[in-house]
Amino acid sequence: MTDSTDQPAPASRIIYTLTDEAPLLATYSFKPIIEAYAAKAGVDVETRDISLAGRIIAQFPDRLTDEQRIDDALAELGELATKPEANIIKLPNISASIPQLKAAIKELQEQGYDLPDYPENPQSDEERDARAKYDKVKGSAVNPVLREGNSDRRAPASVKNYARNHPHRMGAWSADSRTSVATMGQRDFRSNEKSVVVDGDDTLRIEHVAADGTTTVLKEEVKVLAGEVVDATFMDVAALRRFLTEQIARAKADDVLFSLHLKATMMKVSDPIIFGHAVQAFFPTLFEQYGEQLAAAGVSPNDGLGALLSAVADLPDGDAVKAAVEAGLADGPELAMVDSDRGITNLHVPSDVIIDASMPAMIRGGGHMWGPDGEEHDTLAVIPDSSYAGVYQAVIDDCREHGALDPATMGTVPNVGLMAKAAEEYGSHDKTFEVPAAGAVRVVSSAGDVLLEHDVQPGDLWRACQTKDASIRDWVKLAVTRARATGAPAVFWLDETRAHDAHLVEKVHQYLRDHDTDGLAIEIMAPADATAYSLERIRRGEDTISVTGNVLRDYNTDLFPILEVGTSAKMLSIVPLMNGGGLFETGAGGSAPKHVQQLVKENYLRWDSLGEFFALAASFEHLAGREDNARAQVLADTLDRATETFLENDKSPTRKIGGIDNRGSHFYLALYWAQELAGQTDDAELASAFQGLAETLSSQEDAIVDELAAVQGEPADIGGYYRPDADKAAAVMRPSKTLNEALAAL
């Protein structure tokens, strides 16, 4: 696949993003189908490379050859997202942790890219420059740039109907389950939060004032607009360490698994540090004895136990360090496992256990996680910050009392999420700091007024974030729109005892007056109460719209879909951009690294592209409405019907070789879509154009399925993990000569 950056913008176009891991590989199979069908409606499909590797390469043009250089596609799309003509389909991408970033750099270096190593402790100007460029890439670098609108996420009717007719397995809950959530509740981000609404446009400054009066500017310019909500808070690291030590002891005393649930990818500054404190708390003797030696060797607990164990072979006391790790594992509680067969624990890699996916999976599994023995066990889920921990405890309490939810009868909880212009905590990356010395951190206006201030100690984690007034106003509008469209109650998940939420409650009341809300049920509830209310309704088969901030948007659009339909990857995720364009995200799932491992090992990709199908239909529909392209609407309508047939005929990928994988599912979608197009009566010319393809795919079904199945079982060479070789990946993902020729003939 080539990047089409240099092409002039056509009248009708869809930008399809090239991302990472399983979604990227699936694109090699699905995109030729999209291009062939879209062309019949006069729609061009262009690609932009926003993969982790692509983002890295774009940062260092001066070090690369002409052939290696690529444009900064993310910056281009960020600008496009502010324009009315934007029509972007965004697939899941890697939100890179430090280990992932280092691995991607190493692979690119091996492919001949002259990239600098990631500087852990930059000393020279050159190293500081390299670190700054890499910091632009790590963590959630993509979403805040593209999300120039708020979020509308819901399970499509076809998916919900399928789940009701074919309910997925839910683990049984016991009334005496010992699974629970542990959270700090004090001296954490939630309890230390302060908030202010700025009166006018300004440029704020963040500074640290040491105990001796020395002032250090942490961030020179924070531009704010009138009415913007600005928050600041910190986590007391001494309190965090006490809390972690207490929960490790508690898990051992209660004989439950210890599991840590963070989001080290999105909260790319704070959460890896919190993760590192947990590693140190779990292995106190190890770090007392060998901490200095590990630090001198560049081994950081923030990178996890896996990175530490990989480095011990090169240490003088490597065997002793390894023995200390084994002793720590034996002395502590049993750790929840990512992969018990391979000994990969909850503390191995900071990006392995992501709270919004790991907690729903545990709840769906009856409150269990996997232990070192390969069996399921009750678990102490440790969520240090208490901002949203109560949501998960409320679900656990409900399941303990009433048993597992029933996908065949349960209602749904769609989400309207406040995320435009990097709203709330997910926009805090460039304003999060590990405090260097005792003193105070404060936010100061251009006039010198101190707006927010905290007394802090060395190592504390301080952060600030912003939420623009225009984003809040648009969020309220979208909530009212969805409530009116569905008739379901809309509940704003806001806690008026929290500083930030108190301001939002005032603004919600203010902006609701701008809309006709007669006959609508609109409520404001604290998150734990809103959870209990939604669960009560969902058990009765009733629907409830959750209207949430940015982090809860992420959490809820995994939590409820995983319980309702088995996965968050089957969500319809629309971002109506504030300036009139559309961003269509392909579900709430991640990028599935294990799927890539399976493909390389046995040429079988079980990635489910259903989210891509939904996003593509919504993209065509948006294009039809915006540009009065009737054929785009026909493509949207027929794709929706084809997807419903696809689900009813159960053509999603199976987990193991021998069945239909991602490539097979794409074939069946193409078949059903061609049949729908050939049979529709809105556009006779379009129907005629697809008649031959529908007949070919139908008559050659057995041959195509056989060609796709024939490659399974042998290793696949894609030429790279973070940056596959395009020709090799295309060959692997398009092994059916019959299907390829049929698409080419169209």
Side-chain angles (χ1 to χ4, degrees):
M1 285 175 287
T2 58
D3 189 28
S4 309
T5 306
D6 295 331
Q7 298 298 319
S12 291
R13 68 169 179 173
I14 292 172
I15 304 295
Y16 203 88
T17 56
L18 306 180
T19 57
D20 302 287
E21 295 180 325
L24 174 62
L25 293 173
T27 299
Y28 282 97
S29 170
F30 188 41
K31 182 171 168 285
I33 297 170
I34 302 172
E35 288 177 319
Y37 285 54
K40 295 300 181 183
V43 178
D44 282 357
V45 180
E46 301 179 7
T47 59
R48 297 293 185 275
D49 184 352
I50 59 170
S51 66
L52 174 58
R55 300 193 319 264
I56 291 171
I57 293 168
Q59 291 297 315
F60 297 95
D62 55 317
R63 300 178 63 110
L64 305 178
T65 67
D66 290 342
E67 293 75 17
Q68 291 174 328
R69 291 189 194 111
I70 63 174
D71 292 334
D72 188 343
L74 180 58
E76 179 201 349
L77 293 188
E79 182 178 352
L80 177 62
T82 65
K83 297 179 179 179
E85 63 267 26
N87 190 331
I88 304 167
I89 296 179
K90 191 266 176 185
L91 278 69
N93 62 278
I94 292 174
S95 294
S97 64
I98 296 298
Q100 288 173 305
L101 182 58
K102 290 178 178 177
I105 294 167
K106 184 174 185 294
E107 178 180 303
L108 289 168
Q109 290 170 337
E110 292 171 348
Q111 291 179 353
Y113 289 87
D114 179 25
L115 299 171
D117 291 335
Y118 178 81
E120 287 281 4
N121 298 295
Q123 301 298 317
S124 66
D125 288 344
E126 184 179 2
E127 288 182 342
R128 280 187 285 270
D129 178 65
R131 174 64 178 265
K133 290 178 177 178
Y134 282 134
D135 284 349
K136 292 180 182 178
V137 172
K138 74 182 182 185
S140 182
V142 172
N143 291 337
V145 174
L146 299 184
R147 287 172 172 169
E148 285 288 321
N150 292 306
S151 169
D152 171 11
R153 285 185 175 179
R154 55 191 186 269
S158 57
V159 171
K160 190 65 177 171
N161 291 336
Y162 180 83
R164 285 176 171 147
N165 295 330
H166 309 276
H168 53 273
R169 177 186 172 276
M170 299 284 276
W173 272 86
S174 168
D176 58 3
S177 170
R178 290 171 295 147
T179 291
S180 64
V181 172
T183 192
M184 291 176 70
Q186 54 186 355
R187 307 298 296 168
D188 60 356
F189 290 129
R190 162 68 175 80
S191 58
N192 287 327
E193 186 174 73
K194 298 179 181 180
S195 183
V196 65
V197 178
V198 296
D199 293 331
D201 296 2
D202 201 356
T203 299
L204 311 182
R205 182 176 71 256
I206 301 173
E207 60 187 27
H208 174 265
V209 182
D212 63 3
T214 302
T215 299
T216 303
V217 175
L218 300 177
K219 189 168 182 64
E220 185 69 46
E221 294 186 347
V222 179
K223 296 184 183 301
V224 294
L225 301 176
E228 190 161 343
V229 181
V230 179
D231 312 314
T233 187
F234 76 100
M235 178 172 282
D236 182 327
V237 166
L240 170 67
R241 291 295 290 264
R242 289 193 299 271
F243 165 76
L244 291 168
T245 300
E246 290 166 0
Q247 302 318 310
I248 291 165
R250 173 183 168 187
K252 185 170 184 178
D254 292 348
D255 192 25
V256 294
L257 300 179
F258 176 90
S259 64
L260 180 69
H261 300 264
L262 296 167
K263 188 136 188 179
T265 50
M266 293 290 279
M267 304 308 297
K268 61 185 180 182
V269 179
S270 61
D271 282 23
I273 296 173
I274 296 171
F275 185 90
H277 284 297
V279 173
Q280 293 175 79
F282 200 92
F283 299 96
T285 303
L286 166 67
F287 284 93
E288 286 170 9
Q289 294 178 341
Y290 302 105
E292 291 184 6
Q293 184 181 136
L294 291 169
V299 178
S300 170
N302 300 0
D303 293 343
L305 185 59
L308 186 154
L309 290 172
S310 296
V312 296
D314 298 326
L315 298 179
D317 295 323
D319 290 341
V321 171
K322 188 174 181 180
V325 170
E326 292 171 353
L329 290 171
D331 292 342
E334 290 193 326
L335 277 170
M337 305 298 286
V338 171
D339 189 333
S340 54
D341 292 340
R342 298 168 55 214
I344 308 300
T345 74
N346 177 272
L347 297 180
H348 260 65
V349 182
S351 58
D352 269 355
V353 181
I354 302 300
I355 181 172
D356 45 334
S358 60
M359 287 300 297
M362 183 187 77
I363 292 166
R364 178 185 164 184
H368 297 149
M369 294 187 75
W370 296 100
D373 59 357
E375 300 295 330
E376 297 181 31
H377 298 277
D378 289 346
T379 304
L380 180 64
V382 177
I383 305 173
D385 181 48
S386 59
S387 295
Y388 311 111
V391 168
Y392 295 115
Q393 186 63 58
V395 183
I396 290 170
D397 291 342
D398 180 89
C399 291
R400 186 184 290 113
E401 180 178 356
H402 301 291
L405 292 153
D406 183 357
T409 60
M410 66 193 292
T412 186
V413 182
N415 180 261
V416 172
L418 172 60
M419 67 177 192
K421 299 184 180 296
E424 301 190 325
E425 296 100 322
Y426 282 170
S428 68
H429 314 310
D430 62 341
K431 297 176 286 291
T432 301
F433 307 97
E434 190 172 21
V435 175
V441 178
R442 58 194 192 185
V443 179
V444 184
S445 72
S446 60
D449 298 324
V450 177
L451 304 182
L452 302 164
E453 183 173 14
H454 293 96
D455 293 331
V456 291
Q457 296 298 317
D460 287 350
L461 293 168
W462 186 96
R463 76 176 184 213
C465 55
Q466 306 165 247
T467 310
K468 291 187 167 31
D469 184 68
S471 301
I472 300 168
R473 188 190 296 261
D474 182 77
W475 176 56
V476 173
K477 176 185 175 182
L478 183 57
V480 173
T481 300
R482 293 306 303 158
R484 173 96 34 213
T486 63
V491 180
F492 286 85
W493 293 38
L494 297 171
D495 182 355
E496 60 185 3
T497 69
R498 179 180 171 186
H500 167 81
D501 285 13
H503 288 309
L504 261 65
V505 168
E506 293 178 2
K507 286 179 176 286
V508 167
H509 284 306
Q510 176 185 352
Y511 295 138
L512 282 174
R513 291 194 289 269
D514 296 339
H515 304 281
D516 176 11
T517 58
D518 287 349
L520 303 183
I522 297 179
E523 306 282 349
I524 298 175
M525 298 182 188
D529 295 334
T531 306
Y533 174 77
S534 301
L535 288 168
E536 180 183 346
R537 289 177 54 80
I538 209 174
R539 286 185 181 274
R540 297 198 301 262
E542 297 172 343
D543 303 340
T544 313
I545 301 169
S546 67
V547 189
T548 71
N550 205 347
V551 174
L552 274 176
R553 168 200 59 81
D554 222 2
Y555 292 5
N556 281 9
T557 55
D558 271 306
L559 173 61
F560 290 105
I562 286 173
L563 299 177
E564 292 174 28
V565 301
T567 175
S568 60
K570 296 181 179 180
M571 292 288 283
L572 175 60
S573 183
I574 299 173
V575 183
L577 298 173
M578 292 170 65
N579 289 335
L583 174 67
F584 307 93
E585 299 183 303
T586 63
S591 46
K594 288 187 177 180
H595 291 9
V596 184
Q597 295 166 13
Q598 184 178 15
L599 175 81
V600 171
K601 181 180 179 181
E602 53 192 22
N603 206 344
Y604 191 88
L605 185 69
R606 69 175 192 262
W607 173 258
D608 190 341
S609 288
L610 196 60
E612 286 99 289
F613 305 164
F614 293 134
L616 181 61
S619 175
F620 278 129
E621 186 170 29
H622 175 81
L623 199 62
R626 174 160 186 81
E627 301 183 8
D628 196 25
N629 184 331
R631 284 193 168 176
Q633 187 62 56
V634 173
L635 287 179
D637 294 340
T638 52
L639 178 54
D640 275 336
R641 294 196 295 270
T643 302
E644 191 153 3
T645 303
F646 173 93
L647 286 169
E648 282 303 316
N649 289 343
D650 198 19
K651 297 303 183 182
S652 294
T654 57
R655 294 182 64 84
K656 298 180 180 179
I657 63 171
I660 295 172
D661 81 338
N662 177 261
R663 296 163 289 194
S665 71
H666 290 164
F667 158 65
Y668 278 105
L669 188 281
L671 168 62
Y672 300 145
W673 194 6
Q675 290 173 336
E676 289 289 347
L677 282 162
Q680 53 83 28
T681 57
D682 294 323
D683 187 323
E685 185 179 352
L686 197 62
S688 176
F690 280 91
Q691 187 68 46
L693 178 63
E695 292 173 355
T696 298
L697 296 183
S698 179
S699 64
Q700 297 297 316
E701 176 182 353
D702 290 343
I704 293 170
V705 170
D706 287 346
E707 288 171 351
L708 295 173
V711 301
Q712 295 180 19
E714 297 295 327
D717 177 13
I718 56 175
Y721 183 90
Y722 292 97
R723 192 163 186 81
D725 178 274
D727 292 336
K728 290 182 177 180
V732 168
M733 292 305 300
R734 302 190 68 199
S736 170
K737 182 172 181 288
T738 305
L739 175 59
N740 297 343
E741 290 176 348
L743 291 172
L746 179 68

